[in-house]
Amino acid sequence: MNSEQREQAEREQASRVLPPAAYSDPAPGRTEARRRHLLSEIDQQTRARSARRPRRRMVLVLGAAMAAGATVVVLSLGSGTTGAPYNAPPASAASVQVLERAALAARATSQTKVLDGQYAYVKTVGHTSVLSETKSGQMELLRQDEGMEQWTSVDGSEPTLQRKAGKDNLLPDAPGNLNSPTYNFLAALPTDPHALLKHIRDDAERNHGAGSDSTTGPDQEAFVTIGDLLRNGVTPPATAAALYRAAALIPGVDVAPEAVDAAGRRGVAVARVHDGERTEWIFDTSTARLLGERTVLVKDSAWGKAGDVVTSVALVSSGIVAEAGQTP
């Protein structure tokens, strides 16, 4: 199968898993034109980075903690163990089509009037995996509940309230950046996909590029960061559309035709494989709305067997509310 036949097969695959949308679909040739443009941008970025090829790094165990005589390692969404392959292929035609559908759906969403002093609310359900080494030296894989409700001040003027298992906590980090975004921060991000990806990737390069102690790599970190921003739950429509289109610029992005979120909802996933793990963003096949995110093993490891879902988070509810503690 040559490249043109492969791309046609990918487009047909995307069409099967995503039926015609209720909103306007791209004009004929628009998706293909966008894909050609994205491939050109990726090619230019690859040539520009060729002189500073990142090196492989030592394995880093994430989130190690000592508690009651046990070593506990928590696997977060999108985490990996060593740097991703440098020469990843461009985003597949199927993933570009799914992401463009998601961008169009996001852009068609009604703009909510948001005022300073209000809060962005999001409710999620899900789990992460915890690998525990007991005093006897035995390794035990546990599932940790990640269900929560969260209220983030839209202008960052108040601390974020997080509710887990009925207990309220104020988060210590000041919101208003890529790691802890507010609604106003998201609204101020560039809405041009190329400028937006540059902003995100520059941060990823500083913290996860060559010379850093990170084991993730800037491409995977950019993909994870975009997923985190989208899972924020309340994102301005223009910003959400730009985030989806920026993701289509990242090498290695592909489609998983079948996926199930933490709430049991089935959909199609846009995915990226990194070091034996596949990070998936799951979309509703009818509306192209983001349902959630999960991490699936693609090879056997200490975290489980290939095919095991080691982390999964589903968006259940979101909206803008007047006060922390309120729900839409």
Side-chain angles (χ1 to χ4, degrees):
M1 182 181 293
N2 60 34
S3 60
E4 290 184 0
Q5 292 172 327
R6 183 169 59 253
E7 289 187 11
Q8 179 61 32
E10 289 173 351
R11 285 192 290 270
E12 291 174 356
Q13 179 190 50
S15 297
R16 287 195 298 271
V17 297
L18 275 183
Y23 45 83
S24 299
D25 220 355
R30 179 180 174 185
T31 300
E32 182 58 29
R34 180 176 292 278
R35 174 170 166 77
R36 288 196 300 270
H37 182 62
L38 297 183
L39 291 178
S40 174
E41 291 287 334
I42 292 169
D43 182 60
Q44 292 176 21
Q45 294 169 10
T46 301
R47 289 198 302 270
R49 296 197 301 269
S50 61
R52 46 191 176 90
R53 183 186 183 99
R55 57 183 174 83
R56 297 285 290 184
R57 297 176 178 81
M58 296 295 290
V59 172
L60 175 67
V61 178
L62 302 177
M66 294 295 293
T71 298
V72 179
V73 181
V74 179
L75 183 66
S76 301
L77 280 167
S79 65
T81 52
T82 60
Y86 179 72
N87 291 318
S92 69
S95 68
V96 172
Q97 185 169 348
V98 173
L99 288 166
E100 181 62 17
R101 286 277 186 89
L104 290 170
R107 200 67 181 87
T109 304
S110 299
Q111 176 72 55
T112 302
K113 186 177 181 179
V114 178
L115 303 175
D116 287 350
Q118 293 182 315
Y119 288 80
Y121 167 81
V122 62
K123 180 178 181 179
T124 61
V125 297
H127 74 272
T128 190
S129 294
V130 178
L131 191 61
S132 174
E133 182 180 3
T134 65
K135 290 181 178 180
S136 63
Q138 298 295 317
M139 300 304 295
E140 185 178 18
L141 187 64
L142 305 173
R143 178 171 288 193
Q144 180 173 295
D145 181 29
E146 285 294 304
M148 70 170 187
E149 294 177 278
Q150 186 164 296
W151 292 263
T152 304
S153 169
V154 300
D155 58 5
S157 61
E158 299 292 338
T160 296
L161 172 65
Q162 189 176 88
R163 180 174 294 162
K164 283 188 173 184
K167 297 182 179 179
D168 289 355
N169 292 291
L170 295 178
L171 301 187
D173 294 338
N177 52 60
L178 287 174
N179 294 320
S180 185
T182 64
Y183 186 92
N184 287 1
F185 173 83
L186 293 169
L189 288 173
T191 54
D192 174 80
H194 308 96
L196 180 56
L197 181 60
K198 183 180 185 304
H199 179 78
I200 292 170
R201 206 182 188 289
D202 283 351
D203 181 81
E205 192 74 51
R206 283 192 298 271
N207 297 300
H208 300 273
S212 73
D213 292 329
S214 171
T215 60
T216 305
D219 284 336
Q220 177 67 9
E221 181 62 21
F223 187 77
V224 170
T225 296
I226 291 174
D228 289 345
L229 294 175
L230 291 166
R231 280 195 295 116
N232 183 62
V234 186
T235 306
T239 304
L243 286 167
Y244 289 127
R245 288 166 175 155
L249 284 164
I250 300 174
V253 177
D254 205 350
V255 160
E258 296 183 1
V260 181
D261 74 0
R265 300 171 297 190
R266 295 186 177 275
V268 58
V270 168
R272 193 175 192 276
V273 174
H274 174 77
D275 255 344
E277 300 167 7
R278 186 173 64 246
T279 303
E280 299 180 353
W281 304 344
I282 305 171
F283 296 91
D284 185 284
T285 56
S286 298
T287 65
R289 179 174 61 90
L290 182 67
L291 299 176
E293 182 177 354
R294 69 179 188 174
T295 301
V296 182
L297 297 180
V298 296
K299 63 181 182 182
D300 295 352
S301 73
W303 299 101
K305 301 292 185 181
D308 287 351
V309 178
V310 289
T311 62
S312 186
V313 173
L315 296 166
V316 176
S317 179
S318 63
I320 299 295
V321 296
E323 297 178 3
Q326 289 184 344
T327 57

